[in-house]
């Protein structure tokens, strides 16, 4: 925050979060024994070096140290308030202190098992899975083809806060849950600071407050809460970085060319290593920025030109590394993948896409004070969700022709389009409204209208408050509903499967997989967690998970699930409920020593 790469407080927040998210993926592609130190130390050293270098350069040039302090206006408080609101929604993640409550929250959504596995592997082995040696059984580790920039970010934050030595699995799981909450807060702060850093939002709080309140509500209690609570927080942060890329190109004239290029490259790398399909949302920003660089190429001296080439080269290397990890995946299979999530309202998506189209058209038709080139570039940037909507329609057609139905990746992509459309519509509305509101002389009228509009914006996605449930006024916004349900569930006894998983989180056992039928819990999810908690989830044991599908028919199918696992070439024990150990050992005496229970 003290490095004078930008004047305003909001812009420094924006650059700081982008830097953290964009640098982390690079750090974890190199083993720690090569770096001779941990990544947390490297990040802190980079920050300290930048600060000392700025102070020293300023002293040599006779500049005041006051330039190290950012400019703080009333609208710079809005990212802090947004972070506080986001903290309230994910407070159960941040305050979890025991393994049982942690596992309860993590098992409420499917994808937390593989995401924790990737984080835990990085913490215990010191690099992303793609560069690790083979697993204990000689096969590749699972998820080696999945870009792990988000997990690298969490691992970097873990080293800064807890050191580079991994704790036991209980400590790492609790730390992971807390850091998921922290990353959700960072995503919200990133989006709001991207807005309050824009010049149009720094002129009058009466305009800024209601528009940023709408964007904040979208991310805290609206559709922006779906990624973190549906267990794909990497997706949510990647969408936030896509929005940051759009804002950075708007802000390009306020930053040194090397700073703006580095920030945009790091944002794009963060998106590529978070959810690579979202690069389509960065493409308009990259094209507009490339045109800007080319138009000013004759203004640079050779050091600046060399710096630009180096930055672009690093960015290409980062994006290609993510693409290299995905090389074994089939695009058709990925796009038709089944999955489950809370689906966003298509009507809301259409509202914000149409709103974006309206403000883009109005901006293109208006006669602003900026040059026609700047105005045209601004319209192209704000039209990003319109281009993405066209691709979304193409994805729907592809899925309908190949799988006869709209599936998981369409709904996930539509969520991204909606979130970007909210912010683009807000930016466009600000550029249209500000000149007209500034012409109004009655300050009290403007302030009153702003307060009412802000209250309306906070309720656009449903009632956000949670304290009046007992009085009959229930929260209806998605994020608020989830927070209320979590509070109620954690206040009572936790389900039996959580006790089982907690008992399995004991080191030193022969590799095993849990085979059981638990009412209200998916047997395949329980199997995934049993492998994750041991840190043994490899491609060699992966085939054991689908062997448990007979359990969907009922608890009497446990023997039919156990037998193929024991008779396969996988060196896995099976863990079952205590009352089933003796009957199964009697039924399969040749494998009796490999049938155990979770209860110690």
């Amino acid at each position: 925050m003290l490095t004078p790469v930008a004047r305003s407080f909001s812009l420094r927040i924006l650059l700081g979060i982008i830097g953290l998210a964009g640098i982390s993926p690079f750090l974890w592609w190199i083993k720690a024994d090569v770096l001779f130190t941990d990544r947390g130390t490297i990040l802190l050293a980079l920050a300290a070096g930048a600060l000392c270098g700025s102070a020293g350069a300023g002293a040599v040039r006779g500049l005041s140290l006051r330039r190290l302090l950012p400019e703080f206006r009333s609208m710079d408080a809005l990212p802090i308030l947004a972070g506080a609101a986001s903290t309230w929604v994910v407070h159960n993640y941040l305050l979890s202190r025991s393994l049982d409550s942690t596992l309860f929250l993590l098992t409420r959504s499917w994808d937390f098992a593989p995401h924790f596995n990737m984080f835990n592997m990085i913490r215990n082995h010191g690099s992303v899975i793609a560069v690790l040696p083979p697993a204990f059984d000689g096969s590749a580790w699972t998820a080696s083809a999945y870009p792990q920039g988000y997990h690298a970010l969490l691992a970097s934050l873990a080293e800064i806060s807890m050191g580079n030595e991994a704790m036991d699995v209980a400590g790492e799981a609790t730390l992971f849950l807390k850091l998921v909450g922290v990353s959700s807060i960072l995503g919200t702060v990133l989006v709001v600071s991207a807005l309050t850093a824009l010049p149009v939002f720094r002129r009058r709080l009466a305009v800024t407050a209601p528009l940023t309140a709408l964007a904040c509500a979208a991310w805290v209690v609206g559709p922006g809460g779906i990624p973190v609570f549906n267990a794909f927080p990497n997706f949510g942060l990647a969408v936030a970085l896509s929005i940051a890329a759009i804002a950075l190109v708007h802000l390009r004239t306020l930053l040194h060319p090397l700073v703006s290029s580095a920030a945009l490259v790091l944002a794009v790398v963060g998106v590529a290593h978070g959810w690579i399909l979202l690069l389509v949302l960065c493409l308009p920003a990259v094209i507009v920025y490339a045109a800007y660089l080319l138009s000013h190429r004759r203004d640079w001296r050779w050091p600046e030109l060399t710096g630009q080439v180096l930055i672009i080269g690093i960015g290409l290397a980062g994006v290609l590394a993510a693409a290299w990890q995905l090389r074994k995946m089939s695009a058709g299979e990925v796009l038709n993948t089944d999955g489950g999530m809370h689906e966003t309202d298509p009507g809301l998506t259409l509202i914000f896409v149409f709103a974006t189209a309206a403000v883009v058209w109005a901006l293109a038709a208006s006669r602003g004070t900026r040059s026609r080139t700047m105005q045209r570039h601004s319209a192209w940037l704000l039209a990003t969700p319109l281009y993405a909507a066209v691709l979304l329609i193409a994805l729907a057609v592809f899925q309908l022709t190949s799988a006869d139905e709209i599936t998981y990746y369409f709904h996930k992509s539509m969520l991204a389009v909606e979130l970007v459309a909210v912010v683009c519509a807000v930016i466009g509305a600000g550029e249209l409204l500000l000149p007209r509101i500034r012409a109004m002389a009655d300050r009290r009228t403007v302030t009153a209208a702003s307060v009412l509009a802000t209250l309306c914006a906070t309720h656009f996605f449903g009632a956000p408050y949670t304290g009046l449930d007992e009085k009959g006024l229930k929260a209806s916004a998605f994020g608020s509903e989830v927070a209320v349900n979590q509070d109620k569930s954690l206040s009572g006894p936790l389900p039996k499967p959580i006790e089982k998983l907690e008992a399995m989180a004991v080191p030193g056992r022969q590799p095993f997989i849990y085979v059981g039928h638990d009412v209200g819990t998916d047997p395949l999810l329980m199997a995934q967690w049993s492998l994750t908690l041991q840190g043994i989830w490899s491609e060699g044991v992966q085939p054991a998970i689908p062997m448990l599908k007979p359990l969907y028919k009922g608890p009497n199918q446990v023997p039919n699930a156990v037998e193929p696992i024991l008779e396969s070439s996988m060196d896995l024990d099976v863990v079952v409920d205590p009352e089933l150990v003796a009957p199964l050992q009697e039924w399969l005496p040749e494998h009796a020593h490999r049938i155990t229970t979770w209860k110690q």
Side-chain angles (χ1 to χ4, degrees):
M1 291 305 301
L2 294 177
T3 305
V5 291
R7 286 190 60 193
S8 72
F9 179 81
S10 293
L11 187 48
R12 292 193 189 184
I13 291 177
L14 177 70
L15 295 176
I17 297 176
I18 290 173
L20 184 62
I23 292 173
S24 293
F26 289 105
L27 296 178
W28 292 92
W29 274 78
I30 306 172
K31 293 281 287 183
D33 52 1
V34 176
L35 295 174
F36 303 107
T37 186
D38 62 86
R39 282 77 169 185
T41 300
I42 291 175
L43 288 171
L44 293 175
L46 289 173
L51 175 59
C52 293
S54 300
V60 169
R61 295 161 59 188
L63 300 176
S64 171
L65 290 178
R66 290 187 62 185
R67 59 191 283 271
L68 299 179
L69 298 176
E71 174 192 77
F72 193 94
R73 297 184 184 177
S74 56
M75 54 283 297
D76 289 313
L78 296 178
I80 299 173
L81 295 175
S86 183
T87 300
W88 162 71
V89 171
V90 297
H91 68 276
N92 286 312
Y93 286 8
L94 300 173
L95 299 177
S96 180
R97 298 182 181 275
S98 61
L99 181 59
D100 57 354
S101 63
T102 295
L103 289 173
F104 172 75
L105 292 170
L106 290 176
T107 54
R108 289 170 74 88
S109 298
W110 186 281
D111 284 351
F112 273 136
H115 285 305
F116 171 65
N117 179 65
M118 287 181 263
F119 167 80
N120 198 38
M121 290 289 292
I122 292 174
R123 285 280 286 163
N124 280 278
H125 296 276
S127 67
V128 294
I129 298 175
V131 298
L132 290 180
F136 69 99
D137 57 2
S139 66
W141 291 105
T142 190
S144 60
Y146 193 99
Q148 290 147 38
Y150 174 80
H151 314 86
L153 170 62
L154 297 195
S156 299
L157 293 174
E159 287 202 347
I160 292 173
S161 59
M162 302 300 294
N164 63 336
E165 291 293 329
M167 300 175 284
D168 60 18
V169 69
E172 290 298 311
T174 303
L175 177 60
F176 169 76
L177 183 63
K178 292 177 184 294
L179 292 176
V180 168
V182 169
S183 71
S184 178
I185 297 169
L186 289 177
T188 302
V189 172
L190 180 62
V191 170
V192 177
S193 63
L195 292 174
T196 54
L198 295 171
V200 69
F201 286 100
R202 299 190 64 78
R203 298 173 185 172
R204 194 162 185 178
L205 184 61
V207 178
T208 303
L211 293 175
T212 54
L214 180 62
C216 180
W219 276 86
V220 174
V221 296
I226 294 175
V228 67
F229 291 125
N230 279 202
F232 43 93
N234 57 319
F235 172 90
L237 186 60
V239 176
L241 287 168
S242 302
I243 291 170
I246 295 172
L248 281 171
V249 180
H250 272 285
L251 293 161
R252 61 192 180 277
T253 58
L254 301 182
L255 297 168
H256 188 281
L258 293 180
V259 173
S260 58
S261 295
L264 181 60
V265 161
L266 291 177
V268 171
V269 169
V271 172
H273 286 266
W275 215 70
I276 198 167
L277 292 178
L278 293 177
L279 284 178
V280 298
L281 296 176
C282 300
L283 190 58
V286 170
I287 292 173
V288 169
Y289 190 75
Y292 168 76
L293 290 182
L294 289 174
S295 66
H296 290 78
R297 64 188 182 278
R298 295 181 180 177
D299 300 335
W300 299 335
R301 290 173 291 184
W302 71 266
E304 291 179 327
L305 181 61
T306 303
Q308 292 287 356
V309 172
L310 181 61
I311 290 169
I312 293 170
I314 292 173
L316 287 174
V319 173
L320 289 175
W324 176 81
Q325 282 187 266
L326 295 164
R327 69 193 184 281
K328 296 181 180 179
M329 292 187 175
S330 165
E333 292 179 2
V334 170
L335 293 177
N336 283 320
T337 299
D338 289 330
M341 61 174 282
H342 180 92
E343 297 174 5
T344 186
D345 185 350
L348 281 178
T349 304
L350 287 174
I351 287 174
F352 286 109
V353 169
F354 289 152
T356 302
V359 297
V360 167
W361 177 82
L363 284 172
S366 65
R367 296 181 179 179
T369 57
R370 296 179 298 176
S371 68
R372 287 296 299 171
T373 300
M374 291 287 289
Q375 197 161 330
R376 186 169 64 251
H377 285 178
S378 178
W380 287 349
L381 283 171
L382 296 182
T384 296
L386 305 184
Y387 314 138
V390 174
L391 295 176
L392 189 63
I393 294 171
L395 176 59
V397 172
F398 170 77
Q399 290 185 342
L400 289 172
T401 55
S402 59
D404 294 328
E405 62 177 344
I406 298 295
T407 56
Y408 174 65
Y409 267 73
F410 173 85
H411 293 291
K412 211 168 183 179
S413 301
M414 184 171 67
L415 173 61
V417 171
E418 179 179 339
L419 290 171
V420 175
V422 170
V423 176
C424 288
V426 161
I427 295 173
E431 294 188 0
L432 289 171
L433 290 174
L434 185 68
R436 293 158 178 80
I437 293 179
R438 289 182 68 183
M440 296 177 62
D442 190 347
R443 196 177 190 88
R444 293 182 180 179
T445 301
V446 173
T447 301
S450 176
V451 170
L452 291 175
T454 300
L455 288 174
C456 291
T458 58
H459 289 68
F460 186 89
F461 299 94
Y465 30 74
T466 59
L468 299 176
D469 277 25
E470 296 179 357
K471 304 298 183 181
L473 190 60
K474 297 185 179 297
S476 57
F478 172 78
S480 303
E481 282 187 302
V482 173
V484 169
N485 292 334
Q486 287 179 348
D487 289 338
K488 291 179 179 178
S489 299
L490 289 170
S491 64
L494 299 180
K496 184 69 172 179
I498 302 303
E499 178 189 347
K500 296 180 182 181
L501 289 177
E502 191 175 11
M504 295 178 208
V506 178
R509 295 182 62 168
Q510 172 71 15
F512 66 85
I513 186 170
Y514 172 70
V515 181
H517 182 277
D518 299 281
V519 177
T521 305
D522 192 294
L524 273 64
L525 179 61
M526 288 289 289
Q528 287 185 1
W529 273 105
S530 69
L531 299 175
T532 296
L533 292 172
Q534 299 170 81
I536 63 166
W537 195 351
S538 69
E539 293 296 337
V541 302
Q542 172 68 24
I545 297 176
M547 291 180 182
L548 306 185
K549 288 184 178 179
L551 294 173
Y552 287 133
K553 299 178 181 178
N556 61 338
Q557 296 295 314
V558 170
N560 294 331
V562 166
E563 186 177 18
I565 295 175
L566 294 176
E567 293 184 349
S568 70
S569 59
M570 292 179 288
D571 188 18
L572 273 181
D573 287 357
V574 294
V575 164
V576 297
D577 290 331
E579 64 273 13
L580 297 178
V581 174
L584 288 172
Q585 287 178 337
E586 184 178 351
W587 180 53
L588 298 169
E590 68 277 17
H591 299 298
H593 64 288
R594 296 173 59 194
I595 303 173
T596 60
T597 182
W598 52 268
K599 198 167 187 177
Q600 300 296 312

